[in-house]
Each structure stands twice: as structure tokens, then as C-alpha cells.
Amino acid sequence: MLGIAAAVLFVIAFLINAADITTNDVFSSVNLMLLGLALLALHVAGVGASRPSRRR
């Protein structure tokens, strides 16, 4: 699920950068890419996995 959210943020950042849309500092394309990378790192680390591993 976090991987999908990261992909959406990357697409939004790409569209902002490609269209040369001027935004404020919070929604700049670099900030959105960094948020996407953080979500992608959490996804690769296994945070938010759909099945929790149970040990007995």
C-alpha cells in the first residue's frame, strides 16, 4: 500500500515539474519526491505489510 502511495506522489511531482507549475515551498516537486522516497523506503522495509508475521 505504501508503494502505491509513493508512486502517486512521484507522478504528482513529475507533473508539477513537467508543467512548470509554480507552487509554494510545501508542495514543491522536490518535497513530493522526498515524501515518495520515504514511503518507498518504508514499503521496502516492510512497514504496513498486509499480513503480519506471527511467531509461536
Side-chain angles (χ1 to χ4, degrees):
M1 192 67 173
L2 291 173
I4 295 171
V8 169
L9 284 176
F10 285 140
V11 167
I12 292 171
F14 173 75
L15 291 176
I16 288 173
N17 193 18
D20 286 333
I21 298 173
T22 56
T23 59
N24 57 8
D25 292 336
V26 176
F27 293 111
S28 68
S29 63
V30 174
N31 285 344
L32 288 177
M33 283 189 280
L34 289 174
L35 284 173
L37 282 175
L39 288 177
L40 191 60
L42 289 173
H43 173 72
V44 170
V47 175
S50 60
R51 294 185 202 165
S53 61
R54 295 183 181 178
R55 292 185 179 178
R56 292 185 185 198

